[in-house]
Amino acid sequence: MRMDRPDRLAFGGDYNPEQWPEEIWPDDVALMREAGVTLVSVGIFSWARLEPSEGRFDFGWLDRVIDLLHEGGVGVALGTPTVVPPAWFYRAHPEALPVERDGTRYAFGSRGAICHSSPAYHEAAARITRALGERYGDHPALALWHVHNEYGVPVLACYCPTSAEHFRRWLADRYGTVEALNSAWGTEFWGQRYGDFAEVEPPRLTPTVGNPAQRLDHARFANDAALANFRRERDLLHELSPGVPVTTNFMVSPTQCDSIDYWAWGREVDLVTNDHYLVAEEDRNHVNLAMAADLTRSVAGGRPWLLLEHSTSAVNWQPRGIAKRPGEMARNSLAHVARGSEGAMFFQWRASRAGAEKFHSAMVPHAGTDSRIWREVVQLGADLGALTPILGSRTAADAAVVWDWQSWWAQSLEWRPSDDLDTRERAESWYRALYDRHLTVDFVEPEARDLADRPLLVVPSLYLTTAAAGENLTRYVHGGGTLVVSCFSGIVDAHDAVHPGPHPGPLRGVLGLTVEEFKPLRAGETVTLTGPGRPALTADIWAETVVTRGAEAVWRYADGPAAGDPAVTRHALGEGTAWYVSARLGHDGLDAVLAAATADAGLAPRDDLPRDVEVVARAGADGDTYLFAINHTAAEARIPLATTGTELITGTELITGDRATGHLAVPAGAVRVVHLAPPTR
């Protein structure tokens, strides 16, 4: 099975046969066939086995593994093991170990300990990648190339002298002259002006807060340095293994990685893949899962993507390894599929007996095949086999959310007006409110030009807003869109410099207002918002002094430091409307604002759907619709199917084979997928 033209949904996980005696390998393949496994990732952490000393390769064991998998009908996502250079490499090149801001150099003994600017690492990574490409590039089992592993985790930026020199070259390419750099970074402040690029260092530890523009550019540089390493390996594999797609596994969820700009990376891979792990102790963690899946699909440009890792049950690296409840693994897996994944893969196939992740769950647990997890794995394999008809279909969205990693980086720097106002929290809270209104969400970049067909666009946090982004959002509203912008957006430009004039900079016109002053609240303090005929709302953390300049005040502050001022506004502009929320509202407040905004957008409420029952549609090119209903509750749910005139729509439930007419019954904790054929003409 090739992942550029799959004939079935991918099911399997990371397979690490080097951890086990060779006599176990045939048993593994037999169990994979029993479970319906179609794809496994191999070789991700195997550099020391594959190249036991510099330039001396040992591929015999990997030949046998791949041939055995092929004979068993299992495809291979072959890893380049460049996330774990061997001990001999670091003995020869200790300078390739990354250095932290405070000067601490990390030691060998974990994973991902890489200075991405190291020439020695570049050479060694290219050598092992070329050797793998030459040997396996046309192997019939090869379905996908899996480069490196989880770039950005656990460390991305390096502050060593080699990285510093690379940073200076990056800055010279970006700015051209040191005068342009001084202007962009505002170096007249605190006498930080540079006379030559040679004087610039990475933003190492300083006595007090350093230059925020320098910090932001260094984050961009670190992202670009790692991306350049991915491109080098990708281009080698394209040359040596033409036609086989190349990917690397992302960690798109903001709860898992904050150092990678996945918009940029999504344009560089042949297939977007993602790893996702529940925040196990979080209440309603299935909402975070849905957000991660929607964001991954959006990074893929709406195209199908692949869940390359998640867990069958507990993970071992969270404070408490909370086991998944019966049925939860299937719900998690199929929720990703509903939102665009072409399968469900796990870390890992067989639970490790040694090493840092020996208490991480697996498809074959320590308890063996006489276990609940194994029985659920086998059932999930069968269910995914029944869902083969959905291949190639695309998830349909109702609304969109603006998200920008670089704005998140900028707002997360020191000395903002309130430490409590957090970009990720606002994104997750607004997403949760949309989720509870049963709206499927796409994410978009601030300057994305394909917004016209999106009736509702929510901006949870956009501290860094370029002039082009402001013009883009204004054009969207003029054309008939409904825009909702949350507080502390439109504040700075791409260099973290405050836009000239009043806040919110390039969003003043579209919102029809200015912000005269920020009014952060004290710890524990709340304010009340009221409006004629509107429910009273409560906010904490943040308030603003808003002056309307064309917008109308829908809610005002009833008390607190901005008492009497507009708090939530609505601005009619062109054919559309723009809402502004100047406070940090809780869930009920966000829902009240969205109720008004969705009415403007013409989005009908889904009051017929229970809370925590997801209904997501995937649409095929032939007009077929695949309706996923995922019940996260402890009671059966009845999901109404849409009607055409007076005729009830009927469909076939793919997992059970049952017919559904008018409504769909979904048992507690279960998932149902209905194939709705297009109406006959």
Side-chain angles (χ1 to χ4, degrees):
M1 177 178 74
R2 278 265 297 274
M3 286 311 300
D4 56 338
R5 49 175 189 271
D7 56 3
R8 48 193 169 161
L9 293 174
F11 179 56
D14 283 27
Y15 182 40
N16 299 290
E18 63 271 32
Q19 296 180 14
W20 301 93
E22 189 162 347
E23 55 266 26
I24 290 179
W25 300 352
D27 296 338
D28 280 332
V29 175
L31 289 174
M32 289 176 191
R33 290 176 63 87
E34 179 183 338
V37 167
T38 65
L39 182 70
V40 293
S41 299
V42 177
I44 297 167
F45 303 109
S46 303
W47 195 342
R49 283 289 302 269
L50 293 169
E51 190 180 7
S53 61
E54 184 174 352
R56 182 172 68 85
F57 298 104
D58 176 11
F59 291 118
W61 68 274
L62 187 56
D63 291 346
R64 296 191 294 277
V65 167
I66 293 178
D67 289 345
L68 193 62
L69 291 166
H70 182 55
E71 291 167 9
V74 179
V76 172
L78 186 54
T80 65
T82 50
V83 69
V84 283
W88 59 256
F89 170 80
Y90 287 121
R91 184 180 181 188
H93 302 285
E95 78 284 356
L97 287 162
V99 172
E100 264 293 353
R101 286 188 72 204
D102 64 359
T104 301
R105 188 180 291 276
Y106 287 108
F108 172 78
S110 180
R111 63 170 181 143
I114 296 162
C115 170
H116 284 282
S117 299
S118 166
Y121 173 75
H122 297 167
E123 180 182 351
R127 183 173 61 244
I128 186 66
T129 299
R130 177 172 289 280
L132 287 164
E134 289 174 344
R135 191 170 190 92
Y136 302 108
D138 60 357
H139 196 288
L142 184 62
L144 181 69
W145 284 105
H146 178 325
V147 167
H148 203 270
N149 185 73
E150 296 177 346
Y151 283 97
V153 177
V155 61
L156 183 71
C158 179
Y159 298 82
C160 75
T162 301
S163 185
E165 180 56 37
H166 190 187
F167 182 44
R168 287 188 279 271
R169 295 196 305 270
W170 184 91
L171 291 170
D173 290 342
R174 186 177 182 89
Y175 292 106
T177 66
V178 73
E179 289 78 11
L181 173 72
N182 282 316
S183 176
W185 284 8
T187 56
E188 295 298 345
F189 184 81
W190 281 358
Q192 296 170 358
R193 184 174 179 81
Y194 297 101
D196 192 283
F197 280 111
E199 298 169 1
V200 181
E201 295 288 342
R204 299 189 180 102
L205 204 60
T206 50
T208 187
V209 172
N211 188 318
Q214 180 188 20
R215 292 280 304 277
L216 181 57
D217 263 351
H218 192 260
R220 290 168 172 145
F221 156 73
N223 176 80
D224 287 356
L227 184 54
N229 284 344
F230 168 76
R231 288 193 190 108
R232 272 188 284 269
E233 294 189 44
R234 178 204 62 193
D235 292 348
L236 269 173
L237 295 170
H238 280 167
E239 171 196 337
L240 299 168
S241 187
V244 179
V246 181
T247 191
T248 184
N249 47 337
F250 295 168
M251 298 192 75
V252 167
S253 172
T255 60
Q256 293 179 229
C257 182
D258 62 1
S259 58
I260 296 290
D261 181 353
Y262 286 113
W263 290 125
W265 285 68
R267 291 185 278 269
E268 299 290 344
V269 296
D270 299 327
L271 171 71
V272 166
T273 63
N274 193 52
D275 298 351
H276 181 264
Y277 293 94
L278 294 179
V279 182
E281 292 189 83
E282 184 180 87
D283 183 42
R284 304 179 71 213
N285 54 28
H286 52 273
V287 182
N288 173 274
L289 185 158
M291 179 179 175
D294 282 345
L295 187 49
T296 305
R297 182 186 68 254
S298 302
V299 166
R303 296 180 297 276
W305 55 279
L306 179 60
L307 175 67
L308 206 55
E309 284 186 29
H310 72 313
S311 66
T312 58
S313 189
V315 300
N316 70 302
W317 39 266
Q318 293 182 9
R320 283 157 287 279
I322 307 299
K324 291 185 179 180
R325 295 159 293 174
E328 190 174 2
M329 176 183 67
R331 286 198 306 280
N332 293 164
S333 302
L334 296 178
H336 284 288
V337 174
R339 295 175 187 272
S341 177
E342 295 285 67
M345 306 280 286
F346 294 91
F347 181 84
Q348 57 180 325
W349 165 251
R350 186 182 285 275
S352 299
R353 292 186 58 235
E357 294 187 283
K358 55 183 170 288
F359 297 118
H360 191 295
S361 60
M363 299 175 77
V364 182
H366 291 301
T369 56
D370 186 13
S371 63
R372 175 184 66 85
I373 286 180
W374 174 252
R375 287 186 286 272
E376 289 193 11
V377 163
V378 173
Q379 183 60 56
L380 178 59
D383 291 349
L384 288 169
L387 298 183
T388 299
I390 75 166
L391 276 170
S393 61
R394 298 194 177 195
T395 301
D398 306 299
V401 168
V402 171
W403 173 253
D404 185 58
W405 274 277
Q406 296 192 23
S407 178
W408 183 20
W409 300 344
Q411 188 175 334
S412 300
L413 295 172
E414 301 93 339
W415 289 8
R416 300 322 185 205
S418 173
D419 288 348
D420 299 322
L421 189 64
D422 180 74
T423 299
R424 195 188 88 189
E425 183 279 330
R426 283 292 79 190
E428 291 175 340
S429 293
W430 279 96
Y431 181 90
R432 188 178 302 111
L434 290 160
Y435 178 97
D436 282 345
R437 298 191 73 81
H438 298 284
L439 296 172
T440 303
V441 168
D442 280 340
F443 287 82
V444 296
E445 298 179 75
E447 297 181 19
R449 301 302 294 269
D450 56 344
L451 301 178
D453 61 343
R454 304 177 189 272
L456 178 66
L457 183 62
V458 176
V459 183
S461 177
L462 196 62
Y463 164 77
L464 189 161
T465 307
T466 63
E471 292 167 2
N472 191 41
L473 297 178
T474 302
R475 189 164 46 246
Y476 165 77
V477 175
H478 262 293
T482 299
L483 176 70
V484 181
V485 177
S486 188
C487 58
F488 203 46
S489 295
I491 308 304
V492 301
D493 64 14
H495 305 295
D496 198 47
V498 173
H499 286 288
H503 306 308
L507 301 180
R508 292 190 296 258
V510 67
L511 296 177
L513 54 80
T514 57
V515 174
E516 190 170 289
E517 191 174 8
F518 305 131
K519 297 289 182 71
L521 306 183
R522 293 174 172 83
E525 184 180 5
T526 62
V527 294
T528 302
L529 284 57
T530 58
R534 305 282 182 175
L537 310 179
T538 301
D540 64 0
I541 302 299
W542 189 265
E544 295 174 352
T545 299
V546 173
V547 179
T548 55
R549 303 185 187 278
E552 60 174 310
V554 181
W555 277 274
R556 290 181 179 272
Y557 291 104
D559 52 24
D565 292 337
V568 178
T569 63
R570 180 182 182 273
H571 186 215
L573 182 67
E575 300 297 318
T577 56
W579 291 76
Y580 183 61
V581 181
S582 68
R584 196 186 89 147
L585 295 175
H587 186 77
D588 290 346
L590 297 180
D591 183 69
V593 172
L594 284 176
T598 53
D600 278 351
L603 292 170
R606 295 300 308 271
D607 299 331
D608 52 351
L609 294 177
R611 188 173 188 257
D612 287 327
V613 175
E614 298 181 42
V615 178
V616 181
R618 285 183 59 152
D622 53 5
D624 287 16
T625 297
Y626 302 94
L627 196 69
F628 284 72
I630 305 168
N631 187 355
H632 297 284
T633 77
E636 180 179 276
R638 290 172 64 85
I639 308 302
L641 301 179
T643 61
T644 303
T646 59
E647 182 181 353
L648 292 175
I649 286 185
T650 64
T652 302
E653 206 290 310
L654 296 179
I655 294 174
T656 65
D658 294 341
R659 294 288 289 170
T661 303
H663 72 272
L664 174 67
V666 186
V671 180
R672 294 290 181 261
V673 184
V674 179
H675 173 209
L676 302 172
T680 56
R681 297 185 181 276

